[in-house]
């Protein structure tokens, strides 16, 4: 599986932003945050309601980055996953770590995933034909190298113990070599091209994405396959209202790009900060929300792509 690895530079840049603002970390933990707050007045809007100050940069990014790079061409974006799951998202947590997981931690991780996904999708509620409200997010399996790591396992919890070798461990010995995997037969990523595919046990048993926690992993990576970051980062932020790296990587799952180099950014710059530019914002902003909405408005023109 091909992924884009983001090294510590982006992470440290974001951390510097938080330290300079002083209160940003605290604000990120509460829905009443003020910094870079997303306007709730726009939620029931249509594309014609996009603020004119945002339009040039958003249209440039969509046309010159997302279309040219084909980041929205694969019909396995989180938009597609939600439709295919009838308004739901399922995860498997890929725990590539020697740490044990308590029942409380597992429950917290599931709630965290729901918060971060809905921090994006709430901006689609009532917007331009988007048919869903809150998106239920469920962890349907835990993939671990050692099942004893799942403490106080509950009867309904499913644990997968098959592993493969993580190629990253061959060049970075700090990365655990054993990489837990869930059955490919249950993976939407493996079967999204087949509309007639039947998941063993039914649709509720499938998983749309991995939350991939890797010991000693720097920064984060994301795509339509899921999100990868360190086990320490996940556990230390699991109860935050907004988890910066997690939300950034989920953005990639919707097809939104990075903005590392000057050539990647709109010629006129950004009128507002964006979480998709590492270190520029630690929270989802109005600019991000409107890029998400604009993307939906363009993709929904394909009448065959989205069928509830």
């Amino acid at each position: 599986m091909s992924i884009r690895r983001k090294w510590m530079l982006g992470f440290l840049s974001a951390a510097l932003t938080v330290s300079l603002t002083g209160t940003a970390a605290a604000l990120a933990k509460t829905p009443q945050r003020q910094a870079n707050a997303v306007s709730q007045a726009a939620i029931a809007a249509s594309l014609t309601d996009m603020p004119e100050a945002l339009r040039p940069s958003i249209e440039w990014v969509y046309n010159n980055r997302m279309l040219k790079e084909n980041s929205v061409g694969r019909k396995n974006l989180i938009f597609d996953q939600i439709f295919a799951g009838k308004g739901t998202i399922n995860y498997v947590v890929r725990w590539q770590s020697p740490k044990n997981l308590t029942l409380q931690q597992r429950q917290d991780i599931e709630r965290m995933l729901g918060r971060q996904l809905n921090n994006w999708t709430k901006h689609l509620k009532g917007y331009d034909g988007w048919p869903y409200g809150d998106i239920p997010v469920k962890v349907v399996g835990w993939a671990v190298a050692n099942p004893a790591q799942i403490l106080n396992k509950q009867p309904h919890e499913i644990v997968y113990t098959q592993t493969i070798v993580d190629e990253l461990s061959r060049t970075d010995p700090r990365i655990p070599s054993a990489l837990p995997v869930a059955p490919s037969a249950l993976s939407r990523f493996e079967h999204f091209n087949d509309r007639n595919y039947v998941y063993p046990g039914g649709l509720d048993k499938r998983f749309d994405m991995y939350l991939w926690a890797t010991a000693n992993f720097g920064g984060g990576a994301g795509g339509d396959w899921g999100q990868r970051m360190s086990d320490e980062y996940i556990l230390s932020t699991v109860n935050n209202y907004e988890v910066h790296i997690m939300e950034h990587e989920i953005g990639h799952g919707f097809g939104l790009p990075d903005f590392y180099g000057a050539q990647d950014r709109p010629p006129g710059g950004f009128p507002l900060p964006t979480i998709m530019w590492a270190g520029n914002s630690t929270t989802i902003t109005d600019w991000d929300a409107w890029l998400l909405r604009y993307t939906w408005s363009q993709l929904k023109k394909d009448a065959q792509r989205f069928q509830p």
Side-chain angles (χ1 to χ4, degrees):
M1 180 186 301
S2 174
I3 63 173
R4 290 173 295 174
R5 182 157 187 203
K6 288 130 180 213
W7 297 93
M8 285 302 294
L9 180 60
F11 180 74
L12 291 174
S13 174
L16 178 61
T17 301
V18 172
S19 66
L20 289 174
T21 57
T23 59
L27 289 168
K29 294 182 180 181
T30 170
Q32 283 76 43
R33 68 196 184 285
Q34 298 298 318
N36 296 333
V38 177
S39 170
Q40 297 301 302
I43 283 182
S46 68
L47 188 55
T48 59
D49 297 306
M50 181 193 295
E52 286 303 315
L54 306 185
R55 187 176 297 276
S57 57
I58 285 174
E59 290 183 345
W60 187 93
V61 168
Y62 188 82
N63 291 316
N64 293 279
R65 294 290 314 283
M66 296 165 69
L67 287 184
K68 287 185 177 179
E69 296 167 15
N70 199 31
S71 69
V72 290
R74 277 170 57 86
K75 296 183 179 180
N76 191 44
L77 298 179
I78 297 176
F79 298 108
D80 302 282
Q81 295 173 19
I82 290 171
F83 269 77
K86 303 186 186 304
T88 67
I89 286 287
N90 286 353
Y91 271 90
V92 164
V93 176
R94 183 182 238 179
W95 194 249
Q96 191 184 8
S97 164
K99 293 181 174 63
N100 294 334
L101 279 173
T102 67
L103 176 59
Q104 183 66 58
Q105 287 172 325
R106 299 195 300 278
Q107 293 171 338
D108 288 343
I109 286 172
E110 183 174 62
R111 284 190 286 265
M112 179 273 291
L113 289 169
R115 281 196 307 277
Q116 306 321 300
L117 193 286
N118 279 277
N119 281 344
W120 279 104
T121 60
K122 69 184 181 183
H123 303 296
L124 295 170
K125 287 183 182 180
Y127 173 79
D128 197 10
W130 179 258
Y132 301 110
D134 292 339
I135 307 299
V137 176
K138 183 179 180 182
V139 172
V140 295
W142 300 85
V144 294
N146 179 0
Q149 293 176 265
I150 303 298
L151 305 180
N152 190 19
K153 177 183 175 296
Q154 300 300 293
H156 70 277
E157 291 185 301
I158 298 173
V159 177
Y160 302 113
T161 58
Q162 181 182 353
T163 63
I164 59 176
V165 175
D166 187 343
E167 294 298 321
L168 187 58
S169 69
R170 301 185 191 277
T171 56
D172 186 348
R174 300 174 306 145
I175 300 295
S177 60
L179 176 58
V181 295
S184 61
L186 297 176
S187 169
R188 172 174 163 81
F189 183 87
E190 300 290 342
H191 302 286
F192 73 90
N193 276 322
D194 182 0
R195 282 187 174 270
N196 297 316
Y197 183 76
V198 178
Y199 295 98
L203 182 65
D204 290 345
K205 303 298 182 185
R206 102 284 177 192
F207 70 100
D208 301 293
M209 292 184 284
Y210 277 119
L211 172 63
W212 184 351
T214 301
N216 302 311
F217 189 80
D224 61 343
W225 50 267
Q227 303 84 41
R228 186 182 193 183
M229 58 210 74
S230 78
D231 54 345
E232 286 281 0
Y233 181 78
I234 290 171
L235 292 177
S236 66
T237 61
V238 71
N239 290 309
N240 287 13
Y241 177 72
E242 290 196 62
V243 179
H244 172 210
I245 296 178
M246 183 71 186
E247 288 185 342
H248 174 98
E249 304 306 345
I250 288 176
H252 289 315
F254 285 106
L256 312 188
D258 286 307
F259 299 107
Y260 289 128
Q263 72 281 359
D264 300 329
R265 303 168 201 152
F270 295 99
L272 291 174
T274 168
I275 199 171
M276 300 310 298
W277 180 4
N280 189 239
S281 175
T282 58
T283 62
I284 297 167
T285 71
D286 264 334
W287 192 91
D288 300 311
W290 274 108
L291 179 60
L292 181 75
R293 295 182 186 121
Y294 186 87
T295 301
W296 163 247
S297 291
Q298 304 313 306
L299 296 182
K300 72 185 287 285
K301 294 175 182 177
D302 181 353
Q304 300 302 311
R305 181 164 180 169
F306 300 103
Q307 299 175 4

